Amino acid sequence: MMFRESIFLTLGIILIGGVCLVRSSKCLPRDYGKGSVVCVCNDNHCDSTPPVKPVPRDQYVVYTSNEAGLRFEKEVKHYTNAKSGKHCFVPPNDDICKYDYQTSLKVCGVLTPNHLIPSANIFVEPSLLYQEVFGWGGAVTDATVINVANMSAALQEHLIRSYYSEDGLDYNMARVAMGGTDFSTRFYSYLDTLEHVVDCVDFSLKDFKLAPEDIDLKIPFIKRARLLRNDLKLFSSTWVLPTAYKENNSYMGFLGFIRKEVYQLLANYYVKFFDLYKEYDLEFWGVSSTNEPFIAMAEFSIPGTPGNLWTPEELGIWIRDYLGPTIKASAHNHLKLMTVDDQRSLLRVVPEIIRDELTAKYIDGFATHFYMDFPNNTYLLDDVHRDYPDKFIMSTEACVGALGIFLGDWSNAETYAYDIIQNMNHWVTAWVDWNMVLDTQGGPNVAAPRDAPILNNGTEFYKQPLYYAIGHFSKFVPPGSRRIYSSQCNENELVTQVAFERPDGGIVVVILNRSEKQVERKIIDCKKNNINLDLSPRSITTVLYW
């Protein structure tokens, strides 16, 4: 009986075309000599992790992934030490490190009669709540769905479940391109014209039609994902627009301003896209004004990244007078409209976009990208939240691999985990990756290859360390969670953390240790017993308790 129970606890059985597929909880590791391992999925095997369930109040759960090869390694532990003590209050300025015993506030260190000796504590205060978490996801690029279409039926099922099921990463968001991107096999919009008639504009949109990539690949993929997540939030953006809409008559961003005479037509174009997807029973949650509108000027090479160039002021005018009113007058007036959708450093142009209350009325949130995220510009996230507290901030694109694609590269996992912690600690509500699946060469694409959390070689696919880095958040911090106060007085930036309260009342603390050494940390929650942790070298640790 014990053996049979252990088998059912360890294995998940899926029936595809009369064939039983095994999803084991264990990673099938393979080392390519690039620092860590990948977990291999083939027709007959793919690792999984059971859904999170609350544990008794005298227990806590620790999940660990690390460079040494652990992947979501689970330990259930019992508290063994005393509670934190009576001096347990959080200062209102959110800076516990500057307070001492005389203040009767929670302090970070070992108290002596004369001074405070810093110690390795992580303080958590669930009563101090911050932003709500919208969710986690990836982009349904052409490259992703082309790779999925080239897999066997069994591998496809493993792939979809790896991202969207409760025993996978539990994604609830998907970014869907409106037309082609740099990770397509060709440049295309929904109203392409021949070069010699590039200035002919179809103002009626009568020839607007979805591309084969939408109908044959993206829509079927999204529908399969939605079977696992019926609350899947879709949002869209544009990279490629009809060349006739642009001053440079090109798909590229260099001098690629939108012609002012087509501002209303462009707004209609967006709505038409949502109309046609709705015919396939797919409703979107959100849309951004366009992808990377301010750095598009740099996109002038072919092949390269297509783009649409805006000045902040002109983008604000288009949103205020055209896009915003057109969406609100449509059947899609529920859509959340985001703007910027560019590098974090470019949040400084928000006041130039939102120049009046009418513009502000149409904008629900701001989207940022990962590529220029630095510790010294997190203040821009804080400033935007302070100045526009009724609007959310989302991180909508991230990818690595510009220096090469290496199977088992742990440093990329650390890069992602650090970015997520940094963003979430500064008011970001959602974090969405770029390509979910690429081939082992980083494609297909019309620009430069990049890495992805899953790489596919046709007969099997590999879960990169990136996959587990995202999962340490997405799997354990569901939509509706709230960030809570956490702090550690430790000058070592190699150890960072963020904490959340789940909708079921559970507390989640995610800790990144980028040190080459094992690191001791103590989680102190004044309403619970202390949790002593030995963080393995170069690791990501998720702690849960109720």
Side-chain angles (χ1 to χ4, degrees), residues 472-487:
H472 270 275
F473 302 87
S474 67
K475 186 163 185 63
F476 307 109
V477 184
S481 299
R482 295 277 299 274
R483 178 172 68 92
I484 61 174
Y485 178 90
S486 69
S487 185

mmCIF file of all heavy atoms in Angstrom, residues 472-487:
data_model
loop_
_atom_site.group_PDB
_atom_site.id
_atom_site.type_symbol
_atom_site.label_atom_id
_atom_site.label_comp_id
_atom_site.label_asym_id
_atom_site.label_seq_id
_atom_site.Cartn_x
_atom_site.Cartn_y
_atom_site.Cartn_z
ATOM 1 N N HIS A 472 9.861 29.981 -9.088
ATOM 2 C CA HIS A 472 9.954 30.241 -7.654
ATOM 3 C C HIS A 472 9.033 31.380 -7.229
ATOM 4 O O HIS A 472 8.767 31.546 -6.033
ATOM 5 C CB HIS A 472 11.399 30.515 -7.252
ATOM 6 C CG HIS A 472 12.154 29.278 -6.871
ATOM 7 N ND1 HIS A 472 12.112 28.738 -5.607
ATOM 8 C CD2 HIS A 472 12.917 28.442 -7.621
ATOM 9 C CE1 HIS A 472 12.847 27.642 -5.578
ATOM 10 N NE2 HIS A 472 13.350 27.436 -6.788
ATOM 11 N N PHE A 473 8.550 32.135 -8.193
ATOM 12 C CA PHE A 473 7.559 33.181 -7.928
ATOM 13 C C PHE A 473 6.177 32.751 -8.433
ATOM 14 O O PHE A 473 5.204 32.727 -7.688
ATOM 15 C CB PHE A 473 7.986 34.483 -8.598
ATOM 16 C CG PHE A 473 9.328 34.969 -8.149
ATOM 17 C CD1 PHE A 473 10.495 34.537 -8.778
ATOM 18 C CD2 PHE A 473 9.454 35.859 -7.085
ATOM 19 C CE1 PHE A 473 11.745 34.973 -8.356
ATOM 20 C CE2 PHE A 473 10.696 36.299 -6.658
ATOM 21 C CZ PHE A 473 11.841 35.848 -7.296
ATOM 22 N N SER A 474 6.093 32.400 -9.719
ATOM 23 C CA SER A 474 4.786 32.176 -10.343
ATOM 24 C C SER A 474 4.030 31.019 -9.705
ATOM 25 O O SER A 474 2.800 31.054 -9.588
ATOM 26 C CB SER A 474 4.953 31.919 -11.845
ATOM 27 O OG SER A 474 5.624 30.696 -12.098
ATOM 28 N N LYS A 475 4.736 30.002 -9.287
ATOM 29 C CA LYS A 475 4.082 28.805 -8.747
ATOM 30 C C LYS A 475 3.575 29.021 -7.322
ATOM 31 O O LYS A 475 2.618 28.375 -6.890
ATOM 32 C CB LYS A 475 5.052 27.627 -8.783
ATOM 33 C CG LYS A 475 4.389 26.326 -8.375
ATOM 34 C CD LYS A 475 5.188 25.131 -8.787
ATOM 35 C CE LYS A 475 4.427 23.864 -8.456
ATOM 36 N NZ LYS A 475 3.159 23.753 -9.208
ATOM 37 N N PHE A 476 4.202 29.922 -6.601
ATOM 38 C CA PHE A 476 3.913 30.056 -5.177
ATOM 39 C C PHE A 476 3.232 31.378 -4.813
ATOM 40 O O PHE A 476 2.733 31.519 -3.699
ATOM 41 C CB PHE A 476 5.212 29.902 -4.384
ATOM 42 C CG PHE A 476 5.957 28.639 -4.735
ATOM 43 C CD1 PHE A 476 7.140 28.676 -5.458
ATOM 44 C CD2 PHE A 476 5.445 27.407 -4.372
ATOM 45 C CE1 PHE A 476 7.814 27.512 -5.795
ATOM 46 C CE2 PHE A 476 6.108 26.232 -4.706
ATOM 47 C CZ PHE A 476 7.291 26.282 -5.417
ATOM 48 N N VAL A 477 3.232 32.325 -5.755
ATOM 49 C CA VAL A 477 2.623 33.633 -5.503
ATOM 50 C C VAL A 477 1.488 33.824 -6.508
ATOM 51 O O VAL A 477 1.680 34.374 -7.595
ATOM 52 C CB VAL A 477 3.660 34.767 -5.636
ATOM 53 C CG1 VAL A 477 3.032 36.112 -5.273
ATOM 54 C CG2 VAL A 477 4.878 34.490 -4.754
ATOM 55 N N PRO A 478 0.297 33.323 -6.220
ATOM 56 C CA PRO A 478 -0.793 33.363 -7.197
ATOM 57 C C PRO A 478 -1.374 34.761 -7.352
ATOM 58 O O PRO A 478 -1.141 35.643 -6.510
ATOM 59 C CB PRO A 478 -1.832 32.403 -6.587
ATOM 60 C CG PRO A 478 -1.578 32.468 -5.119
ATOM 61 C CD PRO A 478 -0.094 32.657 -4.963
ATOM 62 N N PRO A 479 -2.142 34.990 -8.426
ATOM 63 C CA PRO A 479 -2.834 36.267 -8.585
ATOM 64 C C PRO A 479 -3.694 36.559 -7.355
ATOM 65 O O PRO A 479 -4.297 35.654 -6.771
ATOM 66 C CB PRO A 479 -3.711 36.043 -9.818
ATOM 67 C CG PRO A 479 -3.060 34.927 -10.551
ATOM 68 C CD PRO A 479 -2.405 34.057 -9.528
ATOM 69 N N GLY A 480 -3.735 37.826 -6.983
ATOM 70 C CA GLY A 480 -4.472 38.215 -5.789
ATOM 71 C C GLY A 480 -3.616 38.261 -4.544
ATOM 72 O O GLY A 480 -4.057 38.741 -3.489
ATOM 73 N N SER A 481 -2.377 37.762 -4.619
ATOM 74 C CA SER A 481 -1.445 37.916 -3.509
ATOM 75 C C SER A 481 -1.087 39.387 -3.354
ATOM 76 O O SER A 481 -1.243 40.181 -4.283
ATOM 77 C CB SER A 481 -0.171 37.101 -3.756
ATOM 78 O OG SER A 481 -0.443 35.715 -3.872
ATOM 79 N N ARG A 482 -0.604 39.735 -2.167
ATOM 80 C CA ARG A 482 -0.156 41.103 -1.924
ATOM 81 C C ARG A 482 1.282 41.071 -1.433
ATOM 82 O O ARG A 482 1.646 40.221 -0.604
ATOM 83 C CB ARG A 482 -1.021 41.765 -0.852
ATOM 84 C CG ARG A 482 -2.482 41.964 -1.227
ATOM 85 C CD ARG A 482 -2.719 43.214 -2.049
ATOM 86 N NE ARG A 482 -2.352 44.427 -1.355
ATOM 87 C CZ ARG A 482 -3.164 45.102 -0.516
ATOM 88 N NH1 ARG A 482 -4.385 44.628 -0.256
ATOM 89 N NH2 ARG A 482 -2.767 46.214 0.048
ATOM 90 N N ARG A 483 2.074 41.985 -1.955
ATOM 91 C CA ARG A 483 3.412 42.121 -1.368
ATOM 92 C C ARG A 483 3.278 42.633 0.051
ATOM 93 O O ARG A 483 2.410 43.467 0.343
ATOM 94 C CB ARG A 483 4.280 43.080 -2.180
ATOM 95 C CG ARG A 483 5.682 43.288 -1.556
ATOM 96 C CD ARG A 483 6.590 44.069 -2.472
ATOM 97 N NE ARG A 483 6.198 45.437 -2.661
ATOM 98 C CZ ARG A 483 6.621 46.477 -1.929
ATOM 99 N NH1 ARG A 483 7.429 46.256 -0.886
ATOM 100 N NH2 ARG A 483 6.238 47.697 -2.197
ATOM 101 N N ILE A 484 4.112 42.116 0.938
ATOM 102 C CA ILE A 484 4.119 42.563 2.326
ATOM 103 C C ILE A 484 5.513 43.070 2.679
ATOM 104 O O ILE A 484 6.480 42.860 1.951
ATOM 105 C CB ILE A 484 3.699 41.435 3.293
ATOM 106 C CG1 ILE A 484 4.666 40.253 3.187
ATOM 107 C CG2 ILE A 484 2.261 41.009 3.030
ATOM 108 C CD1 ILE A 484 4.406 39.142 4.203
ATOM 109 N N TYR A 485 5.582 43.728 3.824
ATOM 110 C CA TYR A 485 6.852 44.289 4.276
ATOM 111 C C TYR A 485 7.871 43.189 4.539
ATOM 112 O O TYR A 485 7.584 42.195 5.207
ATOM 113 C CB TYR A 485 6.635 45.082 5.556
ATOM 114 C CG TYR A 485 7.902 45.659 6.142
ATOM 115 C CD1 TYR A 485 8.338 46.926 5.776
ATOM 116 C CD2 TYR A 485 8.660 44.939 7.053
ATOM 117 C CE1 TYR A 485 9.499 47.460 6.304
ATOM 118 C CE2 TYR A 485 9.819 45.460 7.585
ATOM 119 C CZ TYR A 485 10.239 46.717 7.209
ATOM 120 O OH TYR A 485 11.400 47.236 7.730
ATOM 121 N N SER A 486 9.061 43.375 4.002
ATOM 122 C CA SER A 486 10.197 42.524 4.359
ATOM 123 C C SER A 486 11.453 43.362 4.271
ATOM 124 O O SER A 486 11.538 44.287 3.453
ATOM 125 C CB SER A 486 10.303 41.301 3.434
ATOM 126 O OG SER A 486 10.676 41.679 2.128
ATOM 127 N N SER A 487 12.415 43.057 5.115
ATOM 128 C CA SER A 487 13.651 43.831 5.110
ATOM 129 C C SER A 487 14.750 43.023 5.762
ATOM 130 O O SER A 487 14.504 42.220 6.668
ATOM 131 C CB SER A 487 13.459 45.154 5.868
ATOM 132 O OG SER A 487 14.623 45.952 5.755
#
